[in-house]
Amino acid sequence: MADNGTARATTAVRVLDLLRASGTLSRVELAERSELTPATITNAVRRLIDAGLVREVGRDPQQGRGQPRRLLELVASAWYAVGIQIDRTTTTIVVLDFAGTRVASAGLRGSGATGPEQTVHALAEHLGALLRRADVPRSRVLGVGLVTHGPQDRERGMLLTAQPGPEWMEYPLTGTLEGLIGLPVLLENDATAAAFGECWAGGLPTDTFGLVYMGSGIGGGVVVEGEVYRGRASNAVEIGHVALNGGEAPCVCGNRGCAQAEAGPEAVVAKVLADPDLAERLGVRGAPDGTLADFERIARAWRAGDPEATGLLERSARWIGQAAVALVNLFDLDTVVLAGPAFVISGQLYREHVAAELERSALSRVLRRPSVLVSSNVDIAAATGGALHVLRTLPMSSPGRGPWAPARAAAEAWPIPNTEGAT
Amino acid sequence: MADNGTARATTAVRVLDLLRASGTLSRVELAERSELTPATITNAVRRLIDAGLVREVGRDPQQGRGQPRRLLELVASAWYAVGIQIDRTTTTIVVLDFAGTRVASAGLRGSGATGPEQTVHALAEHLGALLRRADVPRSRVLGVGLVTHGPQDRERGMLLTAQPGPEWMEYPLTGTLEGLIGLPVLLENDATAAAFGECWAGGLPTDTFGLVYMGSGIGGGVVVEGEVYRGRASNAVEIGHVALNGGEAPCVCGNRGCAQAEAGPEAVVAKVLADPDLAERLGVRGAPDGTLADFERIARAWRAGDPEATGLLERSARWIGQAAVALVNLFDLDTVVLAGPAFVISGQLYREHVAAELERSALSRVLRRPSVLVSSNVDIAAATGGALHVLRTLPMSSPGRGPWAPARAAAEAWPIPNTEGAT
């Protein structure tokens, strides 16, 4: 029955999640951490071992009296998943094994200068080459998490915005890529994917946090007890379009004073370009798809002690701090993670200023000292999250349910049938 | 086993929720709407009928061929729940029957002029009198949802703020009230409760929306697919403390330009009081616990066409609109509900201005026209939500789990044992 199958798939997902996060666990530990009964765990583990997804790897030496508990781990080579993040200025591809370990990655130029058709064809080609180089058989790849800025229509696999150009609006991104690579493709928001990746692979001290994502633009993500907040149609958390107190700059969204318009890499680069001497001194060029490269030059100048670069980045960081205050006040959070390629060099500067703003202004500051961390996968967090989303979602999608038609095909091929009769 | 008991409790909650929302449903409709199997529904309904919580009430005349389906409804008098909302300027008590229908209510003065000890004793007395008047036996009352402003420590049943006075900080609110009335008491945030009440009793056209709550202060709530967003410790969604672009007023939270400081009833009343002639003309008195009464006088003057009252309220409404833009952009929403006593008279004015701000500035405005509604229970939405929270939560809390010790006692007394062996 569907009911029973869903419950079984959920149990399997919880077991796989726990093993992915912890490396090895005994059945007793799995029961404790999942709050499921030992009988349910034993049954689920048996099915996962039979399916070749989990294996026993020895006994727990820490234990006291009695038979030592057998330890379990994921079979890393059972399946793979791909995460592809496309941005106006960069493309990142990662391949994860079933245990969530990165087995290959590639960084390429962004989609800013090419239309969607050309971009998707290039992605298919690069992905094929990367899988061959990494010796990952395509038949063992569950699918691709395609990660872009929003707003998106995830069900139809399309962008609902004319960024970076009008031809991207409602272009069938996932459908076209699926046709080229023969694998299911799930569309995901970049900041949401980064939050997801940070939660499941970032080694954070908490599973409840907000994330500020800074690529060419600024996005946000929120995870509460390990689950990503999605809102009505997965187009949360648009922190780049929070109007800042005192902000004036016109924004692509039509408003003024948005965080992205005041503090985003493009705004910082524009301020440098407005002063030709400064631009020359910092090596900032203003190429249309070079925003992140230019921003990195400014960040390097900050690190070398340039006072003007420092002033510009500090101003940006204080604005981001104000946006982070709105994030923690509205979502009731005490941890903020900074992720995205713009933080690769400047992460520490932003961390300090965002923390200072939160300590000065967050409503909960009197209850709990807010904590700000730079992602441990700062530049590939989003692509990693896209791949992890595939690992956690695709295999267990119940046929006939859920938003993605392609997921159904994968679910039907999945070695654990989830439409069996009740036991 | 705990596992099975939890699943069973969850099924029972879903059946009760669906019947509470719809009035009457057949077993087939319950299976369709819950996405559970007919067998699971039949089993759950049998147990709920045996427990005296659900009954059959005739047959569905709409049906075509075959045996007409029997319709089910909740036994309204099986249990009751109380919601009490305390605010600096008003206290509202509602009593709901098991079907969620209001059987009694009372409005009293607020807690602004008295300490917590005195307030809690007065609540216990008023509650006793109200139950007697309504002929509701205390032994059939599941518990009390105590609704206040935040931040709160819901587990310990305390406020984590020195508002309205320092003696409220960490005063054992729920513990003291439980001792006096002999019933479990659950603490809940006012805006969250209002969102909850709106979702389950408001007849909204959607189960995903944001709520702006305006009592003496301003709070926010978010419901996604019928579930309230709670964040780290249920102190979301502090929309009263979003800094507004252009805001300058100092706020109780220590910042400047917060929505509450610029646009809340207290700010509007203060602006009137700053002009003694205007204050006299509008009858605004400035009594310390009279903010809402004064705000109502200003709203009445707006309705009578007073240009100065209109100007002040429109300014406040545009600010609230800006806060609503942050709410929908961050939480990905397209519906905003206005609730709370401050909107009783002025709801329509606020609705128009908030809608105009959203249509001008919400990021998703190009995808879906944002919709703004005034709550159908505008002044008692929060107290109603507190009582509904008790109806939905207390009976089914699994013993030994969950945050509330008192919930355990209620769960143990609950007619559906949820610790039975597996079937």
Side-chain angles (χ1 to χ4, degrees), chain B residues 6-33:
Chain B
T6 305
R8 185 173 297 156
T10 307
T11 304
V13 168
R14 282 164 87 176
V15 169
L16 296 176
D17 277 349
L18 285 166
L19 288 173
R20 195 168 286 128
S22 305
T24 59
L25 289 172
S26 68
R27 287 173 180 78
V28 173
E29 288 167 319
L30 280 169
E32 282 164 8
R33 298 194 190 180

Short mmCIF file of all heavy atoms in Angstrom, two decimals, chain B residues 6-33:
data_model
loop_
_atom_site.label_atom_id
_atom_site.label_comp_id
_atom_site.label_asym_id
_atom_site.label_seq_id
_atom_site.Cartn_x
_atom_site.Cartn_y
_atom_site.Cartn_z
N THR B 6 2.99 6.72 17.53
CA THR B 6 3.14 8.05 16.95
C THR B 6 2.42 8.14 15.61
O THR B 6 1.68 9.08 15.34
CB THR B 6 4.63 8.40 16.77
OG1 THR B 6 5.26 8.24 18.03
CG2 THR B 6 4.80 9.83 16.30
N ALA B 7 2.62 7.10 14.78
CA ALA B 7 1.97 7.08 13.47
C ALA B 7 0.46 7.10 13.65
O ALA B 7 -0.26 7.79 12.93
CB ALA B 7 2.41 5.84 12.70
N ARG B 8 -0.02 6.34 14.65
CA ARG B 8 -1.46 6.28 14.87
C ARG B 8 -2.00 7.63 15.35
O ARG B 8 -3.04 8.08 14.88
CB ARG B 8 -1.76 5.18 15.91
CG ARG B 8 -3.23 4.95 16.12
CD ARG B 8 -3.45 3.75 17.01
NE ARG B 8 -2.93 2.55 16.40
CZ ARG B 8 -2.56 1.48 17.09
NH1 ARG B 8 -2.60 1.50 18.41
NH2 ARG B 8 -2.14 0.41 16.46
N ALA B 9 -1.27 8.26 16.27
CA ALA B 9 -1.68 9.57 16.75
C ALA B 9 -1.72 10.55 15.59
O ALA B 9 -2.64 11.36 15.45
CB ALA B 9 -0.74 10.07 17.84
N THR B 10 -0.72 10.48 14.70
CA THR B 10 -0.66 11.39 13.55
C THR B 10 -1.87 11.19 12.65
O THR B 10 -2.49 12.15 12.19
CB THR B 10 0.64 11.15 12.77
OG1 THR B 10 1.72 11.22 13.70
CG2 THR B 10 0.84 12.19 11.71
N THR B 11 -2.23 9.93 12.40
CA THR B 11 -3.41 9.65 11.57
C THR B 11 -4.66 10.21 12.23
O THR B 11 -5.49 10.85 11.57
CB THR B 11 -3.56 8.12 11.37
OG1 THR B 11 -2.35 7.63 10.81
CG2 THR B 11 -4.72 7.81 10.47
N ALA B 12 -4.81 9.99 13.54
CA ALA B 12 -5.98 10.50 14.25
C ALA B 12 -6.04 12.03 14.15
O ALA B 12 -7.11 12.60 13.89
CB ALA B 12 -5.94 10.07 15.71
N VAL B 13 -4.88 12.70 14.33
CA VAL B 13 -4.85 14.16 14.24
C VAL B 13 -5.30 14.62 12.85
O VAL B 13 -6.08 15.57 12.71
CB VAL B 13 -3.44 14.72 14.56
CG1 VAL B 13 -3.33 16.19 14.18
CG2 VAL B 13 -3.13 14.54 16.03
N ARG B 14 -4.84 13.91 11.82
CA ARG B 14 -5.22 14.32 10.46
C ARG B 14 -6.71 14.16 10.24
O ARG B 14 -7.35 15.03 9.63
CB ARG B 14 -4.43 13.52 9.42
CG ARG B 14 -3.01 14.05 9.27
CD ARG B 14 -2.12 13.08 8.56
NE ARG B 14 -2.16 13.23 7.11
CZ ARG B 14 -1.38 12.52 6.29
NH1 ARG B 14 -0.51 11.65 6.77
NH2 ARG B 14 -1.44 12.70 5.00
N VAL B 15 -7.27 13.07 10.72
CA VAL B 15 -8.72 12.85 10.56
C VAL B 15 -9.49 13.94 11.31
O VAL B 15 -10.42 14.55 10.77
CB VAL B 15 -9.10 11.45 11.06
CG1 VAL B 15 -10.62 11.31 11.16
CG2 VAL B 15 -8.52 10.38 10.14
N LEU B 16 -9.07 14.21 12.55
CA LEU B 16 -9.77 15.22 13.35
C LEU B 16 -9.64 16.60 12.71
O LEU B 16 -10.60 17.36 12.63
CB LEU B 16 -9.22 15.24 14.79
CG LEU B 16 -9.45 13.95 15.61
CD1 LEU B 16 -8.77 14.05 16.96
CD2 LEU B 16 -10.94 13.65 15.77
N ASP B 17 -8.44 16.94 12.23
CA ASP B 17 -8.22 18.22 11.54
C ASP B 17 -9.15 18.38 10.35
O ASP B 17 -9.77 19.43 10.16
CB ASP B 17 -6.78 18.32 11.03
CG ASP B 17 -5.80 18.79 12.10
OD1 ASP B 17 -6.26 19.25 13.17
OD2 ASP B 17 -4.59 18.68 11.86
N LEU B 18 -9.21 17.32 9.53
CA LEU B 18 -10.03 17.40 8.32
C LEU B 18 -11.50 17.57 8.66
O LEU B 18 -12.21 18.36 8.04
CB LEU B 18 -9.81 16.15 7.45
CG LEU B 18 -8.48 16.11 6.70
CD1 LEU B 18 -8.20 14.72 6.15
CD2 LEU B 18 -8.48 17.14 5.56
N LEU B 19 -11.97 16.84 9.68
CA LEU B 19 -13.38 16.98 10.07
C LEU B 19 -13.63 18.35 10.69
O LEU B 19 -14.67 18.97 10.46
CB LEU B 19 -13.76 15.86 11.05
CG LEU B 19 -13.88 14.47 10.42
CD1 LEU B 19 -14.09 13.41 11.50
CD2 LEU B 19 -15.03 14.43 9.41
N ARG B 20 -12.66 18.85 11.46
CA ARG B 20 -12.83 20.17 12.09
C ARG B 20 -12.92 21.25 11.01
O ARG B 20 -13.68 22.19 11.12
CB ARG B 20 -11.66 20.44 13.04
CG ARG B 20 -11.90 21.59 14.00
CD ARG B 20 -10.84 21.63 15.10
NE ARG B 20 -11.02 20.60 16.09
CZ ARG B 20 -10.08 19.75 16.49
NH1 ARG B 20 -8.87 19.80 15.98
NH2 ARG B 20 -10.34 18.83 17.40
N ALA B 21 -12.12 21.10 9.96
CA ALA B 21 -12.10 22.11 8.91
C ALA B 21 -13.34 22.03 8.01
O ALA B 21 -13.82 23.03 7.50
CB ALA B 21 -10.83 21.99 8.07
N SER B 22 -13.86 20.80 7.80
CA SER B 22 -14.90 20.61 6.79
C SER B 22 -16.31 20.43 7.35
O SER B 22 -17.27 20.51 6.60
CB SER B 22 -14.57 19.38 5.93
OG SER B 22 -13.28 19.51 5.39
N GLY B 23 -16.43 20.14 8.64
CA GLY B 23 -17.76 19.89 9.18
C GLY B 23 -18.13 18.42 9.07
O GLY B 23 -18.06 17.69 10.05
N THR B 24 -18.51 17.98 7.86
CA THR B 24 -18.79 16.56 7.66
C THR B 24 -18.03 16.05 6.44
O THR B 24 -17.84 16.78 5.46
CB THR B 24 -20.30 16.29 7.41
OG1 THR B 24 -20.69 17.02 6.26
CG2 THR B 24 -21.15 16.69 8.59
N LEU B 25 -17.60 14.79 6.53
CA LEU B 25 -16.90 14.13 5.42
C LEU B 25 -17.21 12.64 5.48
O LEU B 25 -17.46 12.10 6.57
CB LEU B 25 -15.37 14.32 5.52
CG LEU B 25 -14.78 15.71 5.25
CD1 LEU B 25 -13.30 15.71 5.60
CD2 LEU B 25 -14.98 16.12 3.80
N SER B 26 -17.16 11.99 4.33
CA SER B 26 -17.27 10.53 4.32
C SER B 26 -15.88 9.92 4.49
O SER B 26 -14.86 10.62 4.35
CB SER B 26 -17.87 10.07 2.99
OG SER B 26 -16.96 10.33 1.94
N ARG B 27 -15.84 8.62 4.76
CA ARG B 27 -14.54 7.94 4.89
C ARG B 27 -13.74 8.05 3.58
O ARG B 27 -12.53 8.21 3.59
CB ARG B 27 -14.75 6.46 5.26
CG ARG B 27 -15.20 6.26 6.71
CD ARG B 27 -15.56 4.80 6.95
NE ARG B 27 -15.99 4.55 8.33
CZ ARG B 27 -17.20 4.84 8.80
NH1 ARG B 27 -18.11 5.41 8.01
NH2 ARG B 27 -17.51 4.57 10.05
N VAL B 28 -14.45 7.94 2.46
CA VAL B 28 -13.77 8.02 1.16
C VAL B 28 -13.12 9.39 0.98
O VAL B 28 -11.97 9.53 0.57
CB VAL B 28 -14.76 7.72 0.01
CG1 VAL B 28 -14.10 7.97 -1.35
CG2 VAL B 28 -15.26 6.28 0.11
N GLU B 29 -13.88 10.44 1.35
CA GLU B 29 -13.32 11.80 1.25
C GLU B 29 -12.13 11.97 2.18
O GLU B 29 -11.13 12.61 1.83
CB GLU B 29 -14.40 12.84 1.59
CG GLU B 29 -15.46 12.99 0.50
CD GLU B 29 -16.68 13.78 0.97
OE1 GLU B 29 -17.14 13.59 2.13
OE2 GLU B 29 -17.19 14.57 0.16
N LEU B 30 -12.23 11.39 3.39
CA LEU B 30 -11.11 11.48 4.33
C LEU B 30 -9.86 10.83 3.73
O LEU B 30 -8.75 11.37 3.85
CB LEU B 30 -11.45 10.79 5.65
CG LEU B 30 -12.32 11.61 6.62
CD1 LEU B 30 -12.81 10.73 7.77
CD2 LEU B 30 -11.54 12.80 7.17
N ALA B 31 -10.04 9.68 3.10
CA ALA B 31 -8.89 8.99 2.50
C ALA B 31 -8.29 9.83 1.37
O ALA B 31 -7.07 10.00 1.29
CB ALA B 31 -9.32 7.62 1.98
N GLU B 32 -9.17 10.41 0.54
CA GLU B 32 -8.68 11.23 -0.57
C GLU B 32 -7.89 12.43 -0.06
O GLU B 32 -6.79 12.70 -0.51
CB GLU B 32 -9.86 11.73 -1.42
CG GLU B 32 -10.40 10.66 -2.35
CD GLU B 32 -11.79 11.04 -2.90
OE1 GLU B 32 -12.24 12.20 -2.67
OE2 GLU B 32 -12.39 10.18 -3.54
N ARG B 33 -8.47 13.14 0.92
CA ARG B 33 -7.84 14.40 1.36
C ARG B 33 -6.62 14.16 2.21
O ARG B 33 -5.72 14.99 2.27
CB ARG B 33 -8.85 15.24 2.14
CG ARG B 33 -10.02 15.61 1.26
CD ARG B 33 -10.85 16.72 1.87
NE ARG B 33 -12.09 16.86 1.11
CZ ARG B 33 -13.02 17.74 1.37
NH1 ARG B 33 -12.87 18.58 2.39
NH2 ARG B 33 -14.11 17.81 0.64
#
